[in-house]
Amino acid sequence: MMIFDIQRFSVQDGPGLRTTVFFKGCPLQCLWCSNPESQSALPQLLYFETRCTYCYQCVDVCPAGAIHKADDGRLILDRQQCTGCGTCVEECLAGARSISGKQMTVDEVCNIIEKDMSYYRNSGGGVTVSGGEATCQPESLVQLLVRCREMGVHTCLDTCGYADWDILREALKHVDLVLMDNKQMNTDIHKKLTGVGNERILENTARVASMGVPMVIRVPLIPGCNDSEENITQLGQFMKATGLLRVDLLPYHRFSTGKYQALGKEYKLAEIPNPDEDEVRRVANNLEALGLVVTIV
Ligand code: SF4
Ligand code: SF4
């Protein structure tokens, strides 16, 4: 499976202390994505220019000739030519380069998961499979979930919901808790923000709810994108209609700006301020007034 990160002792991806396994590759392109390196299914080179000492070793070792020295001395990466081989990463003593994305076997991932079994037991935690979107690698996802269950580890699937239903249904057989994203109730706006409409997501959400699998709706709260009264009210009504009670609000932040730069990607929401506490509380109050149980993460 292609993994871009494994975080141990995570406390924000489900109950207790958890190991979160981040699958690489996602069908959505959310403008605010806090893990922009998760979107491509392929390994990607990140170049952190502020750490670069301009020794130019990377230029010399790149087998693809993908790194060029500009007239002003700065480095230019031709991403079309870069194969993600990682040679320049090994050569860079300044730590200015890294590769996001690594092929791992289920055994390798489970070896990391196993290290923290006592923490899961003592905290009521477990493993969360996240991304990117883990259902984009369905066979690996199911194999990992099955192994976790065999180890007696609580399993949580953190999903954007934009998945083929047969794949999602198969994964759900091995999942104790679903964290289901909801980014915007209006499909046209959803498409502008994420690249896809929301019909499939809402349909899958309702289907999971009808199966009785425990589920928490997760809303990344992005000022001007999904925090309007209208959207929040529609979300609350949808949740009530589908029998869902629990919603997590994840206020927007700009911690990932440096990663966008390192990937050579434009960060289109760079000007959007973080929501202040009053704004987040207003949204939470609106949802609570509809009878929902709200957690601000
Ligand atoms: S090897 Fe590292 S420090 Fe040297 S020029 Fe390349 S990125 Fe910069
Ligand atoms: S990852 Fe490989 S191909 Fe890409 S820039 Fe570095 S050395 Fe060149």
Side-chain angles (χ1 to χ4, degrees), residues 9-280:
F9 309 114
S10 168
V11 292
Q12 294 189 330
D13 299 316
L17 286 174
R18 312 192 70 81
T19 295
T20 304
V21 182
F22 292 90
F23 282 50
K24 195 159 168 22
C26 186
L28 273 58
Q29 304 275 309
C30 301
L31 297 181
W32 54 82
C33 183
S34 57
N35 291 316
E37 75 276 33
S38 73
Q39 294 178 343
S40 166
L42 299 172
Q44 284 173 294
L45 178 67
L46 286 87
Y47 167 53
F48 297 92
E49 189 173 16
T50 52
R51 297 180 202 155
C52 178
T53 58
Y54 300 101
C55 68
Y56 303 116
Q57 290 296 320
C58 53
V59 180
D60 295 336
V61 299
C62 175
I67 311 172
H68 306 282
K69 185 178 165 187
D71 290 344
D72 62 1
R74 293 174 72 187
L75 294 177
I76 298 169
L77 174 68
D78 184 338
R79 290 191 177 268
Q80 299 294 330
Q81 283 183 277
C82 174
T83 61
C85 70
T87 306
C88 60
V89 177
E90 289 167 26
E91 199 65 29
C92 180
L93 299 178
R97 296 176 171 269
S98 66
I99 292 284
S100 172
K102 184 180 176 189
Q103 278 292 351
M104 296 183 76
T105 65
V106 173
D107 280 345
E108 286 171 330
V109 175
C110 287
N111 287 342
I112 296 171
I113 289 170
E114 268 178 340
K115 291 179 182 172
D116 299 322
M117 294 294 282
S118 60
Y119 292 102
Y120 311 145
R121 271 194 296 273
N122 294 334
S123 70
V127 165
T128 297
V129 183
S130 184
E133 175 53 40
T135 56
C136 290
Q137 301 182 58
E139 288 175 19
S140 301
L141 169 63
V142 169
Q143 285 171 16
L144 180 60
L145 291 169
V146 167
R147 285 286 298 278
C148 288
R149 277 272 177 89
E150 286 171 356
M151 292 189 285
V153 175
H154 178 274
T155 56
C156 178
L157 175 64
D158 182 6
T159 174
C160 72
Y162 193 84
D164 183 279
W165 172 244
D166 288 340
I167 291 172
L168 190 54
R169 183 176 54 187
E170 185 59 31
L172 290 175
K173 292 176 185 169
H174 318 285
V175 168
D176 297 309
L177 173 68
V178 176
L179 303 178
M180 176 72 76
D181 288 355
N182 184 293
K183 302 168 200 279
Q184 167 60 247
M185 292 299 294
N186 179 300
T187 191
D188 294 332
I189 302 174
H190 193 283
K191 189 164 187 180
K192 282 184 192 149
L193 297 172
T194 71
V196 302
N198 68 5
E199 291 87 352
R200 181 187 245 191
I201 295 166
L202 297 183
E203 191 179 349
N204 282 341
T205 304
R207 282 170 150 169
V208 177
S210 71
M211 289 171 68
V213 181
M215 179 162 51
V216 178
I217 298 298
R218 296 204 123 188
V219 181
L221 200 59
I222 321 293
C225 293
N226 63 357
D227 62 343
S228 69
E229 299 265 350
E230 183 185 8
N231 185 57
I232 296 303
T233 302
Q234 282 183 16
L235 168 65
Q237 289 169 344
F238 169 75
M239 288 184 63
K240 295 285 281 184
T242 45
L244 293 165
L245 264 185
R246 293 169 59 197
V247 54
D248 287 351
L249 296 179
L250 294 85
Y252 171 71
H253 61 71
R254 287 180 286 182
F255 300 148
S256 53
T257 307
K259 286 201 275 190
Y260 278 84
Q261 288 167 352
L263 286 164
K265 273 188 156 186
E266 183 189 1
Y267 189 20
K268 293 185 176 147
L269 299 193
E271 302 303 319
I272 289 191
N274 294 354
D276 61 32
E277 272 182 39
D278 290 346
E279 166 66 2
V280 178

